Amino acid sequence: MSNIFLSPQVIVLLFVTLSLAVVLTFAAFKTVQLIKNYKPNAVTQEQYTLEKSSYLITTIIQVSLFINIFLLALFTHTLNSLSDIIPGAMCAAGVVSSNAFGNPLIVLKVVIILCSLLWLRINKEDFITKGHPYFKRKYLFFLLIFLLFLIDIFLELNFFAHLSTVEPVMCCSHIYKHTQNSFSLSNSSLVTLFYTLYLLLLLTLTLNKRLLSAAFSLLFLYISYLAITYFFSTYIYELPTHRCPYCILSSDYAYIGYFIYTSLILASYYALSFALFVQKTELRAKALIWYTLFVFIVSAKFIYFLIVNHTTL
Amino acid sequence: MIELQDLCKTFESQNGEHFTALHNITLHINAGEMVQFQGVSGSGKSTLLHILASLLKPTSGRVEIAGENIASYSDYYASLYRRDTVAYITQSFHLLGELTLRENLLPPLVIKELSFKEINAATRKALEIANIAHKADEKVANLSGGEKQRAVIARAIVNDADIILCDEPTANLDKANALKFLEIIKELKRKGKTIVIATHDPLFDDLDIIDKRFMLKEGHLE
Amino acid sequence: MLPKLHFLLLLLLKHKKKHLGIFLLSALLIALLASTLFISASLKKDIFSTLDAQADITLQKYQAGRLMNLPSSWLDEALAIEGVTKAQGRIYGEHYYEPKEEHFLIVGIDFYDEQVQKNLQRLLQNIDIEAFLKRKNMIIGTGVKKFFNEYAYNDYYIFRPPNRSKEKVYIYDTLPQTTALIGSDVILMDIEEARKILGIPRDEFSDIILEVPNKNERLTVYEKLLVSHFNTRIITKEDIQKHYENLFNYKGGVFMVLYSIALATFLLILYQRYSLITTADAKEVAILKSVGWSIKGIISFKLEENFIVAFFAYIFGVIGALIYVYVFGAPLLRNIFLGYNNLQNDASFTPAIHLSDLVLLFLLFVVPFMLAIIIPLWRVAITEPNEVLK
Ligand SMILES: Nc1ncnc2c1ncn2[C@@H]1O[C@H](COP(=O)(O)OP(=O)(O)O)[C@@H](O)[C@H]1O
Ligand SMILES: [Mg+2]
């Protein structure tokens, strides 16, 4: 067994994840029963019993998904602190890319968080609407999230098991040293794309173009990741060669990364729930506000630099 | 206002035996009416009131309140109905004994996103109607039987419900307190509330404010 | 929102007794873990501040798996490697006091070296190097001092080197308390004096330390050293740091695993305790439902109620641990962490509190706590009111 499993953070992470897995598995079993037997608008004793168990399931899912969101923060923090005991690693980037499980795991975790937030929103709508219009759909959706969660645990265990405290890994400036990203976009076109997408999002959301804004928000999520890694982070680090999406999460940069990623995920969540599920203007307003806030935090240092130095890094 | 159609309630005990407490009840109560359900102990009065209060689901049949079948409500809508539309007054006085009278009025109010000011106003009004304002800061465990019942009334009406259900309201009261109760209930009827009383107390027998009387016998309406 | 919280706190205060048992048990469990986190963070901080002053590379000679003295000729060989700005031989070793089975670590230092003088002056503000070197003097760790005092060696101590002579060395000063953690059993003295007491020949050293200021050159220096002699061990500063980090992780980890088992037991107790639905609980739920509370509302209310209990238990536990560790010096628990030291170690703990540790502790405790009570609370929330409200 890798002695990574004796790192306190990892133990906490696994213990909490495991307790989540226990209650979620229980909820998943109950959900299957519920989906099988539930008949909308039936007034039989069985329906009342099913309704009661639906409150248990909903509570478990709500609490678990809520906790899961905090676990992502704990996970990134763990990665950052693991870099202290892994040779060569300066921050989470080295730890994540030290084996094949790291990057899919991160992507999966973000997907789960987004799905969880959407689930919580659908549940809320379903709960306050007579006749529970989303009843079956939301529980099917939960089963999907549960499946993702199981894959997540599998990846996570494998990821930690394959971390070595002996073999050196690469540091972030090495991993992201190529100015070329996966789209072979130059930095200037990347930044242009970033701001263009932002404006397009504002436009499509305001004009109620639902599918278009959903597509844009997903694309923007990915482009933002690239733009942060290859461009904006260098301004936060004030070093043109330091490109890393993880170092901004460390205390050296006042944990600014947590604000950046939180605002991006919240914005995407509001945009997606507006575009895909509930047409409430309140959701759209929140999406617009969070997107703007995100773009503002991300580009603040870049713009400051531009104004002071009249040039880019 | 209240419309019951073929209402049945069957209890299933732990050993699998079935017992039908209400058989095909169909009746109609208008808004603002005061009605009385009579019948010996065990005839199904409390069961009927529980169903009307949405504390119990019927086995079959419809329970229409203001045009909506509350039997098909999810728990969330049932709770809104209990909060805003119906007040339920029990024979034994179910109160939170460690709290004061004023604090006992909090549960129906705190779930309504009200401010402290609005809560105080509603509390004062309810305590006055129930004629118990002078004991507001007394621990309810120290109140007498009559006072406890008026505390229950105050709590039941604090959200200004339209329908008031009373289950054997005078069973645990002496004559003087029973008369006080009648005064309060008359006042509520004057305010236009629909009032349903389940009792076999002879005190109600020749009361002229009662509009309708129903007789329950082993779960059948006679 | 506020009135609801008001009502929640009201009920909580009235039901103090009901929650007291769980509260105390929780606070105790949290205090236990928080104490170990604090202790380990403090130790880490002390050790790492000491490690920072360590040499960039340490060169040792091994033979048949045992540490040997190495010839002074290695010193010049090392200096010849590009990038090495300074090479210094060290003399140190254990002095064994048979009757009491005590070890001291005698470290010989070159008091004429400027760097050494600077470091010493940082440790002991009013050290007078000239006065120190006038006669046979030594500087001792707090643990050593305690031991000497026990045998009435208040001013000097008589060492017995391998050649059966007697060496009387005066106690010049004691190392400050902050170094007690790793310097408790240390004796510092002039390098030649140490040689005599430890019996190390003139042309040998215990090991060699190298200074390689340029980080990028360390790897090539390392490789060159490696090929120059086969029976060497080369330790870099980072090695030492990672080693300690791993050691702490390991110690903390073993404790955490044991703790997780205790926590799981506690969760079972919690589950059992909350599964008992008293008539008072059923009555409360019936009342709440009859005035308009929903099942969901009751579950949330009860979850919030218990979250507050868990939260305050957490606060109390953490404060308790702070007092236990930093005011009382963590009696009992300290032995687990300081057990490896031979002499009694009387280090006091340097405050080192990491926010992330506190968050970690919070998650580890509160999350499983809340998850364990959901099902019991739900059972309470769905009790049928009609049975109670007769
Ligand atoms: N939860 C229950 N389970 C089984 N039988 C019940 C239950 N509640 C009431 N009953 C039965 O239903 C009948 C009617 O009871 P109830 O409505 O309380 O009568 P009343 O209020 O007129 O005295 C009684 O025979 C009682 O035993
Ligand atoms: Mg009855």
Side-chain angles (χ1 to χ4, degrees), chain C residues 145-387:
Chain C
K145 183 184 166 75
K146 213 169 181 177
F147 177 78
F148 282 176
N149 286 351
E150 239 171 77
Y151 294 90
Y153 287 114
N154 291 326
D155 299 327
Y156 60 87
Y157 181 77
I158 299 172
F159 290 94
R160 297 190 155 262
N163 64 3
R164 302 196 158 269
S165 62
K166 281 184 185 170
E167 283 291 326
K168 183 173 174 183
V169 183
Y170 290 91
I171 300 169
Y172 181 82
D173 204 346
T174 312
L175 287 170
Q177 190 70 36
T178 47
T179 61
L181 193 57
I182 49 177
S184 174
D185 58 350
V186 161
I187 299 175
L188 301 177
M189 58 176 72
D190 181 58
I191 196 157
E192 293 309 317
E193 190 57 36
R195 242 184 226 289
K196 232 184 275 173
I197 292 173
L198 294 169
I200 299 176
R202 297 223 130 257
D203 56 348
E204 286 184 7
F205 289 108
S206 302
D207 63 16
I208 291 176
I209 53 171
L210 306 177
E211 256 176 45
V212 186
N214 186 345
K215 265 192 179 175
N216 300 330
E217 278 176 324
R218 277 186 204 158
L219 197 63
T220 42
V221 171
Y222 181 97
E223 280 162 0
K224 280 185 185 155
L225 284 172
L226 207 58
V227 294
S228 64
H229 297 280
F230 292 117
N231 49 353
T232 51
R233 193 163 85 169
I234 305 152
I235 307 161
T236 62
K237 189 151 84 180
E238 286 75 25
D239 285 338
I240 301 176
Q241 281 180 352
K242 296 234 169 185
H243 168 75
Y244 272 103
E245 186 84 46
N246 265 320
L247 187 75
F248 272 107
N249 253 341
Y250 179 75
K251 278 201 176 194
V254 169
F255 180 81
M256 285 289 240
V257 170
L258 293 177
Y259 185 81
S260 299
I261 295 169
L263 189 59
T265 319
F266 170 74
L267 294 177
L268 276 181
I269 295 174
L270 200 66
Y271 185 85
Q272 297 275 314
R273 162 76 182 71
Y274 277 73
S275 291
L276 298 171
I277 303 175
T278 61
T279 42
D281 290 330
K283 185 182 155 192
E284 188 183 293
V285 167
I287 290 173
L288 293 180
K289 276 192 182 168
S290 73
V291 300
W293 288 53
S294 62
I295 294 176
K296 187 183 150 91
I298 293 174
I299 298 178
S300 320
F301 187 75
K302 299 243 158 215
L303 280 175
E304 283 159 21
E305 189 179 54
N306 284 288
F307 178 79
I308 291 181
V309 173
F311 183 76
F312 276 97
Y314 170 80
I315 299 283
F316 261 70
V318 169
I319 292 175
L322 281 175
I323 295 172
Y324 171 71
V325 173
Y326 295 119
V327 178
F328 295 112
L332 297 177
L333 260 190
R334 65 182 308 142
N335 297 336
I336 298 176
F337 278 89
L338 303 180
Y340 50 79
N341 240 319
N342 178 290
L343 278 183
Q344 149 133 54
N345 201 316
D346 44 34
S348 74
F349 296 106
T350 323
I353 297 156
H354 300 299
L355 188 66
S356 59
D357 279 354
L358 295 179
V359 173
L360 218 58
L361 176 56
F362 185 79
L363 283 176
L364 178 64
F365 185 79
V366 176
V367 169
F369 184 103
M370 298 307 285
L371 289 178
I373 59 176
I374 289 181
I375 295 174
L377 290 187
W378 169 75
R379 286 219 188 91
V380 175
I382 60 159
T383 48
E384 288 293 347
N386 68 305
E387 307 259 342

Side-chain angles (χ1 to χ4, degrees), chain B residues 41-42 45-47 91 167-168, chain C residues 390:
Chain B
S41 188
K45 303 185 297 295
S46 298
T47 306
Q91 64 182 47
D167 193 356
E168 315 257 7
Chain C
K390 279 276 158 90

Side-chain angles (χ1 to χ4, degrees), chain A residues 2 4-5 98-101 156-164:
Chain A
S2 161
I4 286 288
F5 285 112
S98 70
N99 64 50
F101 298 100
E156 190 164 308
L157 285 176
N158 265 298
F159 171 70
F160 285 126
H162 289 89
L163 271 186
S164 162

Side-chain angles (χ1 to χ4, degrees), chain B residues 98-165:
Chain B
E98 313 92 328
L99 302 185
T100 66
L101 172 52
R102 188 189 297 284
E103 290 162 350
N104 259 282
L105 263 55
L106 284 172
L109 293 168
V110 293
I111 48 179
K112 273 184 80 177
E113 315 272 307
L114 300 176
S115 67
F116 282 113
K117 214 174 135 193
E118 290 164 316
I119 286 179
N120 285 338
T123 305
R124 197 175 322 113
K125 203 172 140 211
L127 289 175
E128 264 161 28
I129 293 173
N131 197 7
I132 188 81
H134 53 290
K135 296 279 184 179
D137 295 307
E138 190 78 43
K139 220 170 131 180
V140 290
N142 301 337
L143 296 181
S144 73
E147 288 165 341
K148 273 184 187 155
Q149 195 199 33
R150 274 172 269 148
V152 171
I153 295 174
R155 187 184 65 198
I157 61 172
V158 73
N159 272 338
D160 208 18
D162 290 331
I163 302 170
I164 295 168
L165 311 171

